[in-house]
């Protein structure tokens, strides 16, 4: 039946994106732990600051277009995929170039150790921010392709970080590797996408229209995502890099929880888009109600597991931080407890 097909489609999309995101998150966490062990809290604080500034830039370069792109792909006919992809490329070029220019202007305000990495990100921002292709892989029947950009990212990030630590390269090399791995992720994704649909940017007018249509989602995402990153920047300015390193060690667990929430919800976007279809006034919406009723039990179980995980994290926060990051980061345990609770609320 049609409902069973939609259930299987969500399951396949979830497995594909979860595999890709799992590899991506594991690599990021592993690199973060490697940096913490190798250089200590102060340098980890600057590394975390670089990642926070980069995250803010990526939010601006996305501006909600990833979610609206997935919804339009799911609702549109197959022959419209290339059109929507072209409009998305134009929109992301406009957003990426603008964000890159703004980031370059902000570099003098940032520590010298992270300026080279962020300059690289600014110059290649459209590529560094090209993380919107999971929806395209899903609607084209290739959800498993999401894992390949993540593997390329993981090899670059973990291998490059280990290499930089082994050779005792300057601290700036660590954040450069982190930025380069994101660029590799975007490049690998675009190469795979080109095998599914033509890579033909639309006109700037179409790109601007795509940005305008995503403005509401973009503002909402920014308000929800910027708080944590801005708090890192404020802490770096007011307390210093060493305290920031302690905070980021614990806060990293919240970012893992946030990524889990995104991984669970993002595969639903194209599926719901297909269930809703074109926004015709007379079209019934019963398919959406059935899909929601089918997905809710799974998400309820996930929420129950998240609550149990939060309780466990609060109970073992101190030994967990010492085990993962080392005894130098004992002060991060209270942050981990709060981060775990925030993750459960977000999920």
């Amino acid at each position: 039946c049609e409902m069973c097909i939609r259930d299987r489609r969500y399951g396949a999309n979830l497995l594909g994106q979860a595999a890709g995101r799992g590899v991506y998150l594991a690599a990021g966490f592993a690199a973060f732990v490697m940096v913490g062990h190798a250089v200590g809290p102060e340098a980890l604080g600057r590394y975390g600051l670089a990642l926070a500034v980069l995250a803010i830039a990526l939010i601006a370069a996305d501006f909600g277009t990833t979610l609206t792109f997935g919804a339009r792909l799911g609702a549109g006919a197959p022959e419209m995929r290339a059109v929507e992809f072209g409009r998305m490329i134009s929109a992301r070029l406009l957003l990426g170039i603008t964000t890159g220019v703004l980031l370059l202007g902000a570099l003098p305000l940032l520590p010298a150790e992270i300026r080279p990495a962020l300059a690289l990100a600014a110059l290649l921002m459209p590529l560094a921010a090209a993380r919107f292709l999971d929806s395209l892989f899903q609607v084209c029947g290739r959800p498993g392709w999401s894992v390949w950009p993540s593997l390329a990212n993981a090899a670059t990030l973990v291998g490059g970080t280990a290499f930089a630590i082994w050779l005792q390269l300057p601290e700036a090399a660590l954040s450069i590797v982190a930025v380069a791995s994101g660029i590799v992720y975007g490049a690998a994704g675009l190469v795979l996408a080109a095998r599914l649909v033509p890579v033909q940017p639309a006109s700037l007018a179409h790109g601007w229209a795509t940005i305008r249509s995503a403005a509401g989602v973009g503002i909402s995402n920014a308000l929800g995502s910027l708080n944590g990153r801005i708090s890192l920047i404020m802490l770096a300015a007011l307390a210093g890099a060493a305290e920031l390193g302690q905070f980021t060690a614990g806060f990293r667990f919240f970012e893992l929880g946030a990524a889990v929430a995104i991984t669970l919800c993002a595969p639903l976007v194209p599926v719901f888009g297909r269930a809703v279809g074109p926004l015709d006034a007379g079209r019934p919406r019963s398919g959406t109600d059935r899909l929601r009723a089918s997905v809710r039990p799974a998400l309820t179980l996930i929420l129950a597991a998240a609550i149990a995980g939060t309780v466990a994290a609060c109970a073992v926060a101190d030994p967990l931080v010492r085990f993962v990051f080392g005894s130098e980061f004992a002060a991060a345990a209270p942050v981990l407890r709060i981060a775990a609770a925030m993750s459960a609320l977000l999920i």
Side-chain angles (χ1 to χ4, degrees):
C1 66
E2 183 181 359
M3 194 65 235
C4 294
I5 293 174
R6 285 174 181 162
D7 291 345
R8 288 196 298 270
R9 185 177 293 129
Y10 170 66
N13 289 355
L14 178 59
L15 287 174
Q17 185 157 344
R21 292 290 297 177
V23 172
Y24 182 89
L25 293 172
F29 193 80
F32 202 81
V33 172
M34 291 165 63
V35 172
H37 277 282
V39 297
E42 186 171 351
L44 182 66
R46 287 188 288 268
Y47 183 81
L49 178 61
L51 297 183
V53 174
L54 179 61
I56 291 174
L58 294 179
I59 292 169
D62 181 89
F63 200 61
T65 53
T66 295
L67 284 176
T68 56
F69 177 59
R72 289 197 306 272
L73 282 178
E79 58 270 17
M80 290 298 294
R81 291 170 185 169
V83 175
E84 293 293 350
F85 187 45
R87 291 173 177 173
M88 184 63 166
I89 291 176
S90 294
R92 297 303 287 266
L93 284 173
L94 288 171
L95 289 168
I97 292 171
T98 302
T99 303
V101 170
L102 293 175
L103 181 56
L104 285 174
L107 288 182
L109 304 176
L110 300 171
E113 293 86 351
I114 65 175
R115 289 177 194 168
L118 294 177
L120 176 63
L123 294 174
L124 296 176
M125 184 57 65
L127 203 54
R131 307 181 184 190
F132 58 89
L133 297 165
D134 287 335
S135 296
L136 180 65
F137 297 152
Q138 290 162 16
V139 299
C140 291
R142 299 289 189 275
W145 283 19
S146 293
V147 75
W148 298 113
S150 295
L151 286 173
N153 170 85
T156 305
L157 180 57
V158 176
T161 300
F163 191 70
I165 293 172
W166 179 51
L167 293 181
Q168 297 183 341
L169 296 179
E171 181 185 326
L174 297 171
S175 52
I176 290 175
V177 169
V179 170
S181 66
I183 293 170
V184 169
Y185 180 99
L190 288 173
V191 169
L192 291 174
R195 299 180 60 184
L196 299 174
V197 292
V199 182
Q200 297 176 351
S203 66
L204 294 181
H206 283 114
W208 177 239
T210 300
I211 294 171
R212 289 202 310 271
S213 67
V217 178
I219 294 172
S220 176
N221 284 354
L223 293 176
S225 303
L226 288 177
N227 292 336
R229 274 75 182 198
I230 291 176
S231 68
L232 293 178
I233 296 174
M234 293 175 62
L235 185 61
L238 297 175
E243 289 79 3
L244 179 60
Q246 298 283 352
F247 182 85
T248 54
F251 192 75
R252 194 70 177 174
F253 290 88
F254 166 73
E255 294 183 336
L256 286 174
V260 170
I262 294 170
T263 301
L264 294 174
C265 295
L268 280 174
V269 175
V271 178
F272 270 119
R274 185 175 284 109
V276 174
L279 297 178
D280 298 331
R283 192 176 188 272
R285 295 289 181 262
S286 57
T288 307
D289 297 333
R290 290 196 302 269
L291 182 61
R292 186 184 297 113
S294 175
V295 172
R296 186 181 291 116
L299 297 185
T300 301
L301 290 174
I302 291 166
L303 178 59
I307 294 174
T310 298
V311 174
C314 291
V316 300
D318 187 67
L320 180 60
V321 167
R322 291 176 182 272
F323 174 76
V324 174
F325 289 99
S327 58
E328 289 183 288
F329 291 89
V335 180
L336 191 157
R337 295 188 180 97
I338 298 172
M342 292 171 61
S343 299
L345 290 174
L346 187 59
I347 293 173

